[in-house]
Amino acid sequence: MKTITVPADQIPVSREVEVLVAGGGPAGIAAAIAAARNGASVLIVEQRGYLGGMGTAALVPAFCPYTDHVKPVVRGIGLELLETMKQACGPDYMSRYGEQLDWVPIDAEVLKRVYEAKVLDSGADVLYHTIVSQVVMGAGGSRVDGVVIVNKSGRSYIGCRYVIDATGDADIAAMSGAAFQKGGEQGELQPGTLCYVLSDVSFSRFNEYLERTGDTGQIPALVQKAQAAGDLPHGRKEVSGFSWISDSLVGVNFGHIFGIDGTRAEDLTRGAIEGRQGIKVQLDFLRKYVPGFEQAHLVTSGEQIGIRETRRIVGDYTLVKEDFMSMKSFPDDIARNSYFIDVHLADSQSQMDIQHLPSGRSHGVPYRALLPAGVDNLWVAGRAASSDRVVQGSLRVMPNCFAMGQAAGTAAYLASTSSMTSREVPIRELQNLLVRQKAWLGEEVHAALNI
């Protein structure tokens, strides 16, 4: 590529904080709340004008399961936020979903307000419409001293003692020089999906169709009928999911857009364009084939295409498929995961890789999986945590991101109390504080802590 040399520039120091959180999705929200509630000074930097990540920017229509089909596995801040959203959605919503913890539909506008209120109530500060453009490393290159940000105010520097990378793409870790992996052996990535919300639909008519025909809620019979008639492209043989916010409002997750690298603006641009074109085709199909959707109106589509996979850090420990399948626990567990392996393969001719754990079972997520090799004051929480590609297909969902974020924020607070590195945080003290703040780390950890 052609290059130019930009003149050296002096930029103002706009902020100095103990804990900087980059990214306002579920991992960043939980991290900021945890660190601030415990007493650290926290700033969360988010590129959009609201929090929520894939659940608000990409309109992912429902939360993946919080339970292992027997009990809630993700608790603490993540469960608190879910329950607060349900209450804020009103009595009709609560009458339908009040007791539900798995596949709870998302009302994105309500969720934006809930997230923002909880973060601000925790004492954390928020800076919207801002991206991190550069990481400034300290002497020796093992610590992040601060970051350069860019927004409408210009360029400035934020000094910090600790950083939590909750970008989902390990952007901060990559800029700091930490090692990472991306996608499969050939660099292939899971496809993206542009989700959307429809109004003027009828849940009762849709449900009546399901009961009368025995078709499932993903309507494979109608999808395949439309594909055979040439009204839908061949590929995915069912709708990924409908999430009914009300009797006349539904979120839709349908179809794939292939070859999208979420770390490239050019690919995100193509994904947005192709996604909107695809929604028109899908809307025509729904109106023509699906009872209850005859008058469906497109209210909004995601601000960006939903991204399932980009970078994964190389951490002090890498979770692998054998850990998932054997339901392994670790002495430094900071979360539990029971969501099934859900790898959407990179072309329309391949089958998805889906593997479930037995009901009531989960595996541990070790603290070491949040620590990028070679950097001493940085945690990576969320879908970019250290795992192989198969486990990333399970670990990447929003409830797990809450749990990892809460652990990272709590660890950053503990580190700040004694100027420790991320690797010096005492694990038992971290686990004890997480459990006392309602996280669930499994029976073995709770027994060891006598809690």
Side-chain angles (χ1 to χ4, degrees):
M1 295 179 64
K2 292 177 65 175
T3 64
I4 64 168
T5 298
V6 178
D9 188 18
Q10 285 192 321
I11 59 175
V13 177
S14 57
R15 295 287 294 270
E16 291 184 336
V17 295
E18 289 179 315
V19 180
L20 175 72
V21 179
I29 291 164
I33 292 172
R37 281 181 177 174
N38 280 297
S41 65
V42 180
L43 174 66
I44 183 169
V45 172
E46 165 56 39
Q47 63 179 314
R48 296 179 174 85
Y50 52 85
L51 301 171
M54 294 294 98
T56 53
L59 294 181
V60 171
F63 285 105
C64 286
Y66 276 68
T67 79
D68 59 12
H69 302 293
V70 174
K71 60 186 176 300
V73 170
V74 175
R75 305 181 192 177
I77 290 170
L79 188 56
E80 173 190 339
L81 290 165
L82 176 71
E83 295 295 351
T84 303
M85 185 203 76
K86 290 195 293 188
Q87 290 284 344
C89 284
D92 290 342
Y93 184 97
M94 281 294 292
S95 67
R96 178 176 288 173
Y97 301 115
E99 302 301 317
Q100 190 168 317
L101 295 179
D102 295 347
W103 305 113
V104 176
I106 292 172
D107 185 323
E109 291 304 318
V110 171
L111 193 58
K112 289 175 186 177
R113 294 196 303 271
V114 166
Y115 283 158
E116 196 168 70
K118 287 289 186 181
V119 168
L120 294 176
D121 286 349
S122 75
D125 287 336
V126 178
L127 184 60
Y128 288 144
H129 304 294
T130 299
I131 64 169
V132 174
S133 65
Q134 186 179 352
V135 170
V136 178
M137 304 298 290
S142 63
R143 291 184 60 87
V144 177
D145 278 353
V147 300
V148 177
I149 60 169
V150 179
N151 55 29
K152 293 290 284 186
S153 303
R155 295 172 68 224
S156 65
Y157 175 81
I158 299 175
C160 55
R161 296 174 63 195
Y162 301 96
V163 184
I164 297 171
D165 183 341
T167 62
D169 301 312
D171 289 340
I172 309 304
M175 283 189 277
S176 74
F180 62 85
Q181 298 174 327
K182 185 191 285 188
E185 293 181 1
Q186 307 302 319
E188 68 275 14
L189 293 162
Q190 295 183 58
T193 299
L194 189 61
C195 298
Y196 51 98
V197 175
L198 300 176
S199 67
D200 299 334
V201 290
S202 171
F203 175 75
S204 60
R205 293 201 65 242
F206 178 71
N207 201 45
E208 179 184 86
Y209 160 78
L210 299 183
E211 293 176 352
R212 174 170 49 83
T213 64
D215 203 359
T216 73
Q218 296 171 298
I219 55 171
L222 295 178
V223 170
Q224 292 166 45
K225 180 180 178 181
Q227 288 172 335
D231 288 328
L232 274 180
H234 288 275
R236 187 159 180 82
K237 299 184 182 300
E238 60 186 14
V239 176
S240 300
F242 294 111
S243 294
W244 292 86
I245 303 164
S246 71
D247 287 341
S248 60
L249 192 67
V250 67
V252 185
N253 177 349
F254 188 11
H256 288 145
I257 303 170
F258 297 98
I260 301 295
D261 182 344
T263 67
R264 288 175 45 83
E266 296 84 356
D267 283 9
L268 291 171
T269 301
R270 177 170 65 83
I273 294 168
E274 290 187 16
R276 284 190 282 271
Q277 294 169 341
I279 288 172
K280 176 61 169 63
V281 174
Q282 293 169 19
L283 184 55
D284 289 344
F285 151 72
L286 292 167
R287 288 170 173 165
K288 180 176 180 179
Y289 284 85
V290 184
F293 284 75
E294 294 87 351
Q295 304 299 320
H297 174 74
L298 177 62
V299 177
T300 186
S301 57
E303 181 179 329
Q304 83 154 67
I305 185 174
I307 297 296
R308 295 180 172 92
E309 173 185 35
T310 55
R311 303 184 185 101
R312 309 183 307 275
I313 62 164
V314 176
D316 288 3
Y317 185 86
T318 299
L319 278 163
V320 297
K321 182 178 180 180
E322 290 73 18
D323 298 329
F324 178 95
M325 298 304 295
S326 65
M327 295 162 285
K328 188 172 181 178
S329 296
F330 301 88
D332 58 336
D333 275 343
I334 47 79
R336 303 291 297 184
N337 170 42
S338 62
Y339 185 66
F340 58 88
I341 289 171
D342 180 19
V343 179
H344 298 235
L345 297 189
D347 63 78
S348 61
Q349 306 306 311
S350 301
Q351 297 298 310
M352 291 170 58
D353 184 3
I354 295 179
Q355 299 184 52
H356 293 261
L357 293 179
S359 292
R361 302 298 302 276
S362 60
H363 72 83
V365 179
Y367 177 68
R368 290 164 290 161
L370 308 183
L371 305 181
V375 189
D376 290 335
N377 66 335
L378 174 64
W379 294 262
V380 178
R383 73 168 187 249
S386 182
S387 71
D388 67 13
R389 190 174 187 229
V390 173
V391 174
Q392 192 271 349
S394 166
L395 204 60
R396 63 182 170 83
V397 297
M398 288 187 283
N400 290 333
C401 292
F402 284 130
M404 288 183 278
Q406 182 171 356
T410 304
Y413 155 72
L414 286 172
S416 72
T417 61
S418 300
S419 298
M420 291 180 280
T421 70
S422 57
R423 290 170 176 82
E424 293 171 335
V425 172
I427 295 302
R428 276 294 186 232
E429 188 174 349
L430 172 60
Q431 291 172 327
N432 183 70
L433 190 50
L434 286 170
V435 170
R436 291 189 182 281
Q437 296 176 353
K438 300 184 179 180
W440 190 74
L441 308 183
E443 289 88 351
E444 294 178 10
V445 171
H446 288 243
L449 294 172
N450 294 315
I451 294 177

